[in-house]
Amino acid sequence: MAEHPDSALIRRGYAAFGTGDMETLGSLMTADVVHHVPGSNPLSGHHKGRDAVLGLYQRLGEETNGTMQVELEAVMADGRGHVMSFHTVRADRGDRGIEIREGLFFTIVGGKITDVDQCTEDIDEEDTFWS
């Protein structure tokens, strides 16, 4: 059975993120994409526009000194422009480490990512790690 094109798009995004290929990652997004990060930490909020979203992703690498790893577990599409992905993040930051499950809810229009809502299994743990 062939994978839905929206799921394939998200898998390409994860692969690009994993190798630090911001050019490919940016090509999968609209210019006005928004990534919503939950919690109350320096990364929380609404990152609006392709440059701001790519800046967020670059900052994740910088803040963790390149230790961040994202292991994709599942990708599910509804066939109407929505995709959910689930992954585990592992990273070190200073004397702190984290291993946490997260999910992303994507909106896709015209074959491009327009919106990303991020969820986490433990907002307090994420806030502590990123603060």
Side-chain angles (χ1 to χ4, degrees):
M1 183 164 45
E3 183 172 50
H4 191 278
D6 291 345
S7 293
L9 174 77
I10 298 310
R11 287 186 190 280
R12 282 195 309 275
Y14 269 87
F17 180 89
T19 61
D21 183 354
M22 294 297 135
E23 184 176 335
T24 296
L25 197 51
S27 74
L28 305 177
M29 304 173 187
T30 60
D32 62 349
V33 64
V34 180
H35 186 131
H36 310 274
V37 179
S40 298
N41 66 70
L43 301 178
S44 298
H46 309 287
H47 301 268
K48 299 176 183 180
R50 185 184 299 125
D51 290 342
V53 172
L54 293 176
L56 167 66
Y57 299 162
Q58 289 173 328
R59 187 168 174 199
L60 294 172
E62 292 166 2
E63 293 283 334
T64 62
N65 200 26
T67 65
M68 179 178 242
Q69 298 175 353
V70 177
E71 181 182 342
L72 183 60
E73 297 166 11
V75 177
M76 296 175 246
D78 72 355
R80 297 177 294 120
H82 301 112
V83 174
M84 294 187 324
S85 65
F86 299 91
H87 60 259
T88 298
V89 172
R90 293 175 188 88
D92 295 312
R93 186 168 180 264
D95 62 350
R96 298 180 192 149
I98 195 168
E99 181 172 334
I100 195 163
R101 292 192 70 222
E102 296 179 336
L104 299 175
F105 181 81
F106 297 90
T107 302
I108 298 169
V109 176
K112 301 262 186 183
I113 300 165
T114 64
D115 196 80
V116 184
D117 279 301
Q118 182 176 323
C119 297
T120 180
E121 69 180 353
D122 189 332
I123 290 175
D124 293 335
E125 183 179 355
E126 291 243 3
D127 283 344
T128 297
F129 181 76
W130 293 111
S131 294

